Amino acid sequence: MLRRVFAENGRAHIRGYIFAGICLVTVALSTSYVAYIMKSFIDQAFAAGNAENVWLICLSIFVAFSLRGFASYGQAVALSRVSNNIIATYQRRVAAHLMKLSVEFFNSRRSAQVVAQINQNITGVREVLNLTITSTTRDILSLISLVGVMFYQDFVLAFIALVFAPPMLFGLQRLARELRHANSEGVKITGRVFGAFQETIQGISIVKAFTMERQLEKNLDEVIRAAESRSNQIVRLSERNGPMVETFAGAAVASVIGYAAYRTIYHNVPPGAFFSFITALLMAYDPARRLTKIQVQMQRAANNAKMLYALLDSEPNQPDAPSAPKLEVSGGKVEFREVSFGYGEQHVLNKVSFTAERGQTTALVGPSGAGKSTLATLLLRFFDTAEGGIFVDDQNIASVTKRSLREKIAYVSQQPYLFEGTIGENIRLGRPGATTGEIEEAARLAYAHDFILEQPQGYDTPLGENGITLSGGQRQRLSIARAILRNAPILLLDEATSSLDVESEAIVQKALEAAMAGRTVIVIAHRFSTIRNADKIVVMNNGRAVEEGTHQSLSQKDGGVYSRLNELHSFSA
Ligand code: ADP
């Protein structure tokens, strides 16, 4: 896993790595030099009493330390730059990949949790890189050169010290394995905490309106509690290496000192080499301890990387066929032929057939749950039909590219969704190449121009999340302006069921009429005026198209679904 992180990012940053590598070698060498020179220092100062040499050695130690400081700084900056760049690269990759995934992917997940997990996992990958390179490499190099000094000064002592390494490494290995599992659970549960927060904030008006504060607080508390105890478990596991490492280190240091003292006392071995050795041993202790921790941290980071790659590697479902042609629209006739469809096991549509003629308005009506919105998602190819097909100007939409299909459709959803950015930018999303003049023209047609000019910065007024400062009707008119700007031959309209005040309702209706002019319109209709003016009405019931006609012809049909809905005035289901 880690190898993949490096393989995919190594080549692009080779210069940064080389520079950092030179710094790291400098750090390691200057560290072990201090230990190495101890022997000469002890021998010169205490045995030979040569003052001049002692001063030289002191100076060299001073130089070694400051060299080490500058080299540490150099490698830290160089590597952080690389790792920041790698994070940005992953963020871009995830963003690009999310765009490719189908609506189905997002339907089956909670958006807030997806976001929280992506965030945690990318941070985890950053940690992999920071840890491995900044600390691991430096510590390993320092450790190797210090162990080299130890062996050089005293082979037997070095051997005694190292006897304790294998059992310690074995214990750490087992610890890391336990931790891996705890960690992926940890990421998931933290994702749930962030997700729950985000959902609460997004739905705060519902929370307050239903006075669910207490209940939600309780739910949140449960998730938080679970995350807390999971974090505690992770800490217990990851810190368990502390006592283990200290115990082994204590045993090693005690044995070495004991054996060295024994040799000095009984065999008169001079102490210079021993001092150098013990300096190296004590200096090796810090990097060694950090390295034992790093294995555990790496385990966690590797796990994050794995979860991130699971997302990046997920196949974008329903890709276009490689040779799929583009949709060519001449008039914009839309034909549903015997369309059947279900979400998983549940059958939702059963052999639905109807035609929306070019330039005309076709209204879909019927009780809630009849399958009207599902027809719209199928036309947009968020899902593919199970049987039958949808034809636009006699081309099956299943065989053309999804992009070319969607470019020919302007979709106005029930919930007008506004994105982060200015009002003008939000309209421009309808057609990225549009000029300012065209944007204003679309806004005018959608009866939005005047209220936009009343905003503090006109078209350049920024919108908060979901455009919180605009009224429902204003937001709908913005989304209609976006659809008008798109200038697509087919308009797919999901009328809002939530009622606006009479005045806004009338303006939105006018805006919609402007958007509908000259296009093939398929509208999931709730407003009586829309239905009455439609050229054709298709009545849906239980996943079937049960009646078809105009308001005139259908309301005269006794006992029909439409006439019943009409009598009940229940179109706004
Ligand atoms: P309408 O728009 O007429 O109210 P829909 O097309 O929204 O009807 O829904 C038709 C049926 O499909 C309903 O029973 C609904 O529960 C189900 N349904 C809609 N969307 C989904 C989905 N994403 N996953 C599973 N079932 C769905």
Side-chain angles (χ1 to χ4, degrees):
M1 190 48 58
L2 297 178
R3 212 171 297 148
R4 180 164 169 196
V5 172
F6 284 107
E8 287 180 5
N9 302 295
R11 198 163 305 159
H13 303 289
I14 195 78
R15 278 171 46 195
Y17 285 132
I18 289 178
F19 175 73
I22 295 170
C23 293
L24 288 170
V25 172
T26 312
V27 172
L29 289 182
S30 51
T31 304
S32 47
Y33 171 78
V34 174
Y36 168 79
I37 204 67
M38 273 301 151
K39 176 174 188 296
S40 317
F41 176 73
I42 297 290
D43 291 347
Q44 295 292 327
F46 298 103
N50 188 336
E52 202 172 309
N53 281 351
V54 169
W55 289 129
L56 266 181
I57 291 170
C58 288
L59 185 68
S60 75
I61 288 176
F62 168 74
V63 170
F65 266 92
S66 35
L67 202 60
R68 191 166 76 140
F70 282 107
S72 293
Y73 171 80
Q75 61 95 29
V77 171
L79 289 174
S80 301
R81 284 173 57 120
V82 170
S83 71
N84 287 340
N85 182 271
I86 289 173
I87 289 176
T89 308
Y90 273 104
Q91 283 171 337
R92 283 187 204 107
R93 277 176 70 182
V94 170
H97 191 73
L98 288 179
M99 302 292 169
K100 283 197 213 114
L101 293 171
S102 68
V103 171
E104 208 174 340
F105 172 89
F106 296 96
N107 271 351
S108 60
R109 286 167 182 78
R110 304 175 78 101
S111 58
Q113 286 183 22
V114 173
V115 172
Q117 284 197 18
I118 289 174
N119 193 18
Q120 284 186 75
N121 288 334
I122 292 185
T123 314
V125 172
R126 184 227 313 254
E127 219 140 83
V128 175
L129 296 157
N130 276 354
L131 285 176
T132 36
I133 316 171
T134 23
S135 5
T136 318
T137 317
R138 184 188 58 204
D139 287 342
I140 286 181
L141 286 177
S142 303
L143 199 60
I144 288 175
S145 54
L146 286 170
V147 169
V149 171
M150 283 156 65
F151 272 101
Y152 174 77
Q153 301 292 15
D154 197 316
F155 191 85
V156 183
L157 284 182
F159 188 77
I160 294 176
L162 288 186
V163 158
F164 294 94
M168 186 175 80
L169 289 178
F170 177 75
L172 287 173
Q173 203 81 43
R174 282 193 41 175
L175 208 60
R177 217 171 315 144
E178 277 178 63
L179 202 66
R180 187 164 18 183
H181 176 70
N183 248 325
S184 40
E185 294 292 310
V187 170
K188 280 190 199 135
I189 194 131
T190 316
R192 271 181 62 198
V193 173
F194 286 120
F197 269 114
Q198 195 168 330
E199 283 168 5
T200 309
I201 292 165
Q202 276 170 349
I204 195 69
S205 47
I206 302 287
V207 173
K208 289 195 179 291
F210 283 81
T211 57
M212 342 191 258
E213 291 98 331
R214 263 217 207 116
Q215 183 56 37
L216 268 187
E217 208 178 310
K218 203 167 133 249
N219 295 354
L220 262 172
D221 184 59
E222 269 168 34
V223 190
I224 291 172
R225 209 180 289 244
E228 185 188 2
S229 81
R230 181 60 71 169
S231 304
N232 282 340
Q233 189 200 358
I234 292 174
V235 168
R236 274 199 305 276
L237 281 174
S238 63
E239 292 303 317
R240 204 186 285 167
N241 70 6
M244 195 157 80
V245 171
E246 301 284 341
T247 309
F248 280 111
V253 172
S255 319
V256 165
I257 295 178
Y259 180 70
Y262 160 81
R263 271 192 328 191
T264 314
I265 294 166
Y266 296 103
H267 300 281
N268 250 345
V269 178
F274 170 67
F275 264 96
S276 173
F277 179 90
I278 205 75
T279 310
L281 182 63
L282 293 178
M283 283 179 105
Y285 179 62
D286 258 345
R289 204 194 41 192
R290 273 201 300 268
L291 282 173
T292 60
K293 257 208 166 130
I294 259 163
Q295 204 207 4
V296 167
Q297 290 166 327
M298 289 284 277
Q299 199 61 256
R300 177 173 3 187
N303 194 39
N304 285 131
K306 196 165 109 196
M307 289 166 88
L308 189 62
Y309 276 119
L311 173 70
L312 282 176
D313 291 343
S314 59
E315 288 289 319
N317 13 21
Q318 30 145 243
D320 289 327
S323 58
K326 282 189 177 173
L327 177 72
E328 300 292 342
V329 175
S330 47
K333 183 181 74 168
V334 178
E335 197 184 347
F336 283 72
R337 288 189 201 156
E338 307 247 299
V339 170
S340 298
F341 175 76
Y343 297 100
E345 293 288 286
Q346 187 195 4
H347 288 282
V348 173
L349 294 176
N350 201 335
K351 298 207 166 161
V352 175
S353 297
F354 69 89
T355 305
E357 300 293 345
R358 55 184 287 187
Q360 295 195 350
T361 296
T362 302
L364 303 175
V365 301
S368 157
K372 305 179 297 288
S373 312
T374 304
L375 285 173
T377 58
L378 290 180
L379 177 58
L380 286 163
R381 263 194 85 196
F382 290 163
F383 301 93
D384 282 323
T385 58
E387 280 169 50
I390 303 170
F391 294 80
V392 174
D393 285 341
D394 294 314
Q395 301 148 78
N396 191 339
I397 63 166
S399 61
V400 298
T401 63
K402 282 202 286 294
R403 190 183 177 89
S404 69
L405 167 71
R406 290 172 189 163
E407 272 169 0
K408 295 296 187 292
I409 301 175
Y411 174 52
V412 179
S413 61
Q414 265 199 24
Q415 288 290 332
Y417 196 87
L418 301 177
F419 295 86
E420 185 79 45
T422 66
I423 291 180
E425 282 164 4
N426 261 283
I427 300 177
R428 182 176 272 122
L429 287 173
R431 184 154 51 88
T435 63
T436 315
E438 288 169 323
I439 289 175
E440 286 193 24
E441 179 61 23
R444 235 179 235 117
L445 284 171
Y447 293 85
H449 183 68
D450 291 340
F451 86 75
I452 294 174
L453 289 189
E454 283 167 18
Q455 303 305 313
Q457 292 156 267
Y459 281 84
D460 297 326
T461 309
L463 293 172
E465 196 179 33
N466 283 325
I468 230 82
T469 51
L470 296 177
S471 76
Q474 290 171 332
R475 288 162 53 170
Q476 283 185 13
R477 280 181 275 160
L478 280 189
S479 75
I480 293 167
R482 188 194 286 160
I484 291 177
L485 184 70
R486 189 161 189 77
N487 199 16
I490 300 166
L491 175 69
L492 181 59
L493 186 60
D494 197 347
E495 272 189 344
T497 45
S498 55
S499 46
L500 302 168
D501 60 83
V502 180
E503 199 181 340
S504 320
E505 180 85 38
I507 300 186
V508 169
Q509 190 62 34
K510 278 201 210 157
L512 281 175
E513 277 159 23
M516 288 155 98
R519 301 198 164 88
T520 304
V521 182
I522 297 179
V523 49
I524 298 170
H526 302 293
R527 293 193 180 92
F528 185 62
S529 58
T530 315
I531 296 168
R532 200 184 41 207
N533 294 333
D535 298 294
K536 182 193 275 183
I537 299 167
V538 176
V539 185
M540 295 288 301
N541 196 16
N542 275 331
R544 291 171 192 274
V546 287
E547 288 167 24
E548 200 181 300
T550 59
H551 173 66
Q552 198 74 26
S553 69
L554 287 173
S555 36
Q556 281 162 4
K557 212 167 120 189
D558 278 341
V561 176
Y562 183 85
S563 62
R564 208 169 58 238
L565 287 170
N566 191 19
E567 277 160 25
L568 294 171
H569 297 288
S570 64
F571 288 116
S572 47

